[in-house]
Amino acid sequence: MAHCEQVLTADRRVDAVLTRMRALDTTLPARDGVAVFNRVYLAVTEAVDRHIDGGLFPDARAASTLDVRFAERYLAAVDAAEDGRRPPACWRPLFQFRRHPGVRPLQFALAGINAHIGHDLALAVVDTCRTLGCEPVDLEDEFDRVGDLLVSLEERVRDELMPAPDLFRIADPLTHLVGSWSLERARDASWAAARALWALRRLPDVAGEFTERLDAAAGFAGRMLLTPLPD
């Protein structure tokens, strides 16, 4: 009975984060950089939810908890920006450049994915381990399946948001820029970071410094992805 109640609680929290992202989708201007990423992430979260409901994750409770902990970090960054507080460094470029006319939708989408994978995902794994009382290795299947969904969605996003083939003047620098970043490499680095943070959990000072460096590195990559391009 307790296990069923925990699964139901996780399901309700998935519903809560989906509701919040759908509300952002209806209130933010379509061209806003945060709105562009939010649409991408909403599609990911809906896909994860469908896979959980369809029994495609080995451990539905672990998958739901990881999904929620992951989403909560993005929504916390949104809340910080809305309240006039500083979001984590990984998210600052997206909020700073969200209305820049020289930044393309694909750049906004990838910058948000970079922040979320390059920083938030590792911390979400650690959050989930603490919540469930497990080790990162116990979440590896769920981590990999969520990562596979992200990779497939990134491919679709690149196809949908890349400028038309005849716009070579724009597409050439954009192609070079976005080609410098790989979600698969970022996902692998995030898993290694999660394992390192878990190993450092009894050394809070070292873990804190490691997290700060992870945050700063993701922020630097995000700033590069958001380089304004000529019209």
Side-chain angles (χ1 to χ4, degrees):
M1 177 65 73
H3 176 74
C4 292
E5 290 175 351
Q6 289 167 337
V7 172
L8 288 172
T9 299
D11 287 344
R12 284 195 292 270
R13 295 183 72 183
V14 172
D15 290 341
V17 297
L18 282 170
T19 297
R20 180 73 196 286
M21 283 189 275
R22 287 168 182 152
L24 288 170
D25 189 45
T26 61
T27 57
L28 292 174
R31 184 60 176 79
D32 182 286
V34 177
V36 173
F37 169 72
N38 189 78
R39 288 194 295 273
V40 172
Y41 191 37
L42 175 57
V44 170
T45 308
E46 289 173 336
V48 172
D49 192 35
R50 288 193 300 271
H51 280 62
I52 292 172
D53 290 343
L56 299 179
F57 282 93
D59 186 335
R61 177 189 174 213
S64 296
T65 304
L66 178 59
D67 190 31
V68 168
R69 295 300 188 189
F70 193 27
E72 285 175 342
R73 287 193 169 272
Y74 157 61
L75 294 173
V78 172
D79 288 340
E82 289 181 348
D83 295 343
R85 294 178 285 114
R86 282 167 65 84
C90 61
W91 287 106
R92 287 175 208 156
L94 182 61
F95 288 106
Q96 291 168 354
F97 284 80
R98 62 193 294 181
R99 298 182 182 88
H100 196 295
V103 179
R104 310 299 168 193
L106 178 58
Q107 294 173 261
F108 288 133
L110 294 184
I113 294 172
N114 165 74
H116 210 32
I117 300 295
H119 172 263
D120 294 353
L121 185 54
L123 300 185
V125 170
V126 173
D127 292 343
T128 302
C129 287
R130 287 174 173 155
T131 299
L132 300 181
C134 66
E135 300 281 327
V137 67
D138 299 318
L139 300 175
E140 190 166 5
D141 286 343
E142 287 69 34
F143 181 95
D144 286 342
R145 287 173 187 261
V146 170
D148 290 343
L149 287 172
L150 286 164
V151 169
S152 64
L153 186 69
E154 186 213 15
E155 293 171 355
R156 194 180 82 191
V157 166
R158 286 177 184 264
D159 289 342
E160 291 179 357
L161 297 182
M162 183 65 76
D166 57 327
L167 299 180
F168 289 115
R169 191 164 60 91
I170 295 175
D172 184 60
L174 181 59
T175 299
H176 285 289
L177 182 64
V178 302
S180 65
W181 185 83
S182 164
L183 190 151
E184 292 193 55
R185 288 198 297 271
R187 182 182 66 172
D188 291 345
S190 181
W191 180 246
R195 294 180 62 195
L197 283 169
W198 187 250
L200 293 170
R201 65 191 182 281
R202 295 184 180 89
L203 299 170
D205 291 344
V206 179
E209 182 177 349
F210 184 94
T211 301
E212 287 180 6
R213 298 296 177 88
L214 192 69
D215 190 22
F220 179 77
R223 176 61 186 85
M224 295 301 99
L225 285 168
L226 293 172
T227 300
L229 300 175
D231 293 331

